[in-house]
Amino acid sequence: RMAKRNALVRHLPAVETLGCTSIICSDKTGTLTTNQMSVQKILLIEQGNKYLELDVDGITYEPKGDVKLKGAKVSATDYSALNELCKVASLCNQSGLFKNAQGVWERLGESTEAALK
């Protein structure tokens, strides 16, 4: 079926993995301009299937910025799903952030993991 749609697959395991994927993180804002990934939006599902779209400030690895819901600043303690997401992003992460000699924040490890740090 994929050949009929002109899909070229080099490794079948990649297709199998994609087939069982439930969440895809795709926003790469800042990658082309600063060579740094950052999270820009978070979509949460709270109890009762209520969707929350949160905006995240910052476009570099610098660990500063706010998370906002409709322009109002929120905290991880305000929403249980956000609290869990923050725990997972921190604990299931092997990257590190540090300031280089010029005072610019850089990553140690994978850029995707550093963006979630």
Side-chain angles (χ1 to χ4, degrees), residues 31-46:
T31 304
L32 296 176
T33 55
T34 64
N35 198 27
Q36 296 184 351
M37 280 190 185
S38 62
V39 174
Q40 297 294 295
K41 293 206 179 279
I42 299 171
L43 182 64
L44 297 176
I45 303 173
E46 282 285 306

Side-chain angles (χ1 to χ4, degrees), residues 44-52 78-82:
L44 297 176
I45 303 173
E46 282 285 306
Q47 289 182 345
N49 293 329
K50 177 182 172 186
Y51 290 90
L52 300 174
D78 294 337
Y79 300 96
S80 60
L82 181 58

Side-chain angles (χ1 to χ4, degrees), residues 46-108:
E46 282 285 306
Q47 289 182 345
N49 293 329
K50 177 182 172 186
Y51 290 90
L52 300 174
E53 185 176 326
L54 306 173
D55 296 305
V56 182
D57 289 344
I59 58 167
T60 65
Y61 291 132
E62 184 175 6
K64 114 179 186 187
D66 294 322
V67 178
K68 298 177 182 176
L69 175 64
K70 297 180 182 175
K73 185 177 171 182
V74 298
S75 171
T77 57
D78 294 337
Y79 300 96
S80 60
L82 181 58
N83 191 30
E84 289 298 314
L85 176 65
C86 290
K87 285 180 188 176
V88 170
S90 179
L91 296 174
C92 300
N93 193 319
Q94 297 178 353
S95 70
L97 301 174
F98 66 94
K99 268 189 184 179
N100 66 17
Q102 293 77 30
V104 177
W105 286 91
E106 291 191 22
R107 68 174 166 83
L108 181 63

